[in-house]
Amino acid sequence: MMAPFDIVVLFLFGGALMSAVLGDDHSMVAAVSAVFSIGLMHVSISALKQRFEWFGRIVDGTPVIVFEKGEWHQDRMRALRMLESDVMAAVRQKGLMRLEQVRYAIIERDGKVSIIPQDEGE
């Protein structure tokens, strides 16, 4: 799984290499320095995420509960541009057939939907 920041860095690498090949400056030093700068930025951000939890929440986001104990959180779903049908698809993939079988539906940092089923005794 890749975090959104990792995808951005991947595109930056591609853009830097493409401009080094197709741009006016075809020197190897320019290409290597661009890639090195992006790599250094990625390592720095990763170190900051490990050291400061709040920084990781800013860069990667936090999980969001959109369904909790029988109630949809419509405001959170609108903010995430998530539809109930998207969550229901994840419910079916989990092997559950009804919404009453779900305790929580959580949108993870990478955009995937996690389903926490009700306990058997409930």
Side-chain angles (χ1 to χ4, degrees):
M1 288 189 301
M2 293 179 70
F5 180 72
D6 295 330
I7 295 170
V8 170
V9 169
L10 187 65
F11 278 107
L12 285 175
F13 272 127
L17 289 174
M18 186 175 66
S19 65
V21 171
L22 300 175
D24 294 334
D25 184 8
H26 294 290
S27 69
M28 188 65 145
V29 173
V32 169
S33 64
V35 170
F36 181 75
S37 297
I38 294 169
L40 184 62
M41 177 190 67
H42 188 265
V43 169
S44 300
I45 296 293
S46 297
L48 286 170
K49 287 187 333 185
Q50 285 181 337
R51 182 165 169 101
F52 302 108
E53 183 180 329
W54 60 269
F55 190 77
R57 285 192 305 257
I58 291 171
V59 173
D60 291 334
T62 57
V64 177
I65 298 173
V66 293
F67 182 81
E68 184 174 17
K69 298 178 184 171
E71 290 189 32
W72 291 101
H73 294 284
Q74 295 294 337
D75 54 335
R76 297 174 186 172
M77 300 222 5
R78 271 192 302 277
L80 295 171
R81 293 173 183 78
M82 183 68 70
L83 301 174
E84 290 179 14
S85 58
D86 298 329
V87 176
M88 288 306 298
V91 169
R92 289 188 296 277
Q93 287 176 354
K94 184 77 172 178
L96 305 174
M97 297 309 294
R98 295 173 314 186
L99 205 52
E100 293 81 31
Q101 296 172 298
V102 176
R103 176 177 282 200
Y104 297 107
I106 303 166
I107 309 302
E108 300 294 346
R109 298 177 343 165
D110 61 358
K112 293 184 180 168
V113 181
S114 294
I115 302 299
I116 311 297
Q118 292 280 4
D119 292 336
E120 294 294 326
E122 293 183 21

